[in-house]
Amino acid sequence: MNALFQLLSDQELSALLELMREFYAQQHMQFDEPAASLTVNRVLDNPDLAQIYLIFRGAELAGYFALTFCFSLEFHGRFALLDELYLREPYRRQKLGKAVVVFAEDLCRKAGIKAVRLEVGRENQGAQSLYRAAGFKEDERNLMTKWL
């Protein structure tokens, strides 16, 4: 497998937004391009908030992932959230997702982060299988959200 992970820069913003639009449509989530652009620019200006990587298979743009950073007493400091992981359909089931998880875990270990969390759709059995095989377990508590 020829996987390459490229940290996002300003020059790739339009490519990332295209990938995000695809991902959100597939997940039946609302995509607000101006808000997404502002949020990504905040990340580019402050890498302590998150890191966004484009995923390439050879020279082909295969997808992206975002690793965001949070703080928790339970996790004894900073922890990471594998916030979004999207692979275009032709690149799925080729072990790219596994390579992303290994790469993200390595980034976290180097940063002294001891826990990685993620969200996955209840209906997304393929992604759940990937994450379970990588050692992720469902928490005993439900994640709940309230938009403000």
Side-chain angles (χ1 to χ4, degrees):
M1 176 196 49
N2 189 10
L4 173 70
F5 306 107
Q6 178 182 318
L7 187 61
L8 185 74
S9 70
D10 295 336
Q11 291 77 32
E12 296 92 21
L13 180 59
S14 62
L16 174 67
L17 292 173
E18 178 184 334
L19 291 167
M20 291 177 74
R21 189 177 302 107
E22 292 172 16
F23 175 57
Y24 283 52
Q26 287 183 11
Q27 296 296 309
H28 307 289
M29 299 184 317
Q30 181 180 356
F31 181 67
D32 181 339
E33 186 165 335
S37 183
L38 283 172
T39 302
V40 171
N41 278 308
R42 285 183 63 197
V43 168
L44 291 170
D45 291 341
N46 187 355
D48 288 338
L49 294 174
Q51 294 177 354
I52 302 170
Y53 286 84
L54 297 177
I55 305 165
F56 289 89
R57 175 79 184 232
E60 301 288 324
L61 182 58
Y64 77 98
F65 76 93
L67 193 64
T68 65
F69 305 111
C70 313
F71 193 90
S72 168
L73 298 176
E74 178 182 355
F75 296 118
H76 310 279
R78 283 181 46 175
F79 72 94
L81 175 69
L82 185 54
D83 188 37
E84 295 185 4
L85 168 52
Y86 172 66
L87 291 170
R88 288 178 158 158
E89 183 61 39
Y91 303 99
R92 295 177 189 168
R93 292 169 291 285
Q94 297 181 22
K95 302 202 184 299
L96 285 174
K98 180 179 180 179
V100 167
V101 171
V102 169
F103 182 76
E105 288 175 353
D106 189 51
L107 290 172
C108 290
R109 282 187 191 93
K110 288 177 180 172
I113 294 171
K114 304 211 181 310
V116 179
R117 301 189 92 184
L118 58 81
E119 295 176 64
V120 62
R122 289 180 181 94
E123 75 293 338
N124 194 340
Q125 295 301 315
Q128 288 181 39
S129 184
L130 162 72
Y131 298 135
R132 283 188 185 103
F136 285 85
K137 294 179 175 52
E138 289 186 42
D139 288 333
E140 295 296 319
R141 297 178 311 273
N142 289 325
L143 180 66
M144 299 175 72
T145 303
K146 179 179 180 181
W147 285 86
L148 303 176

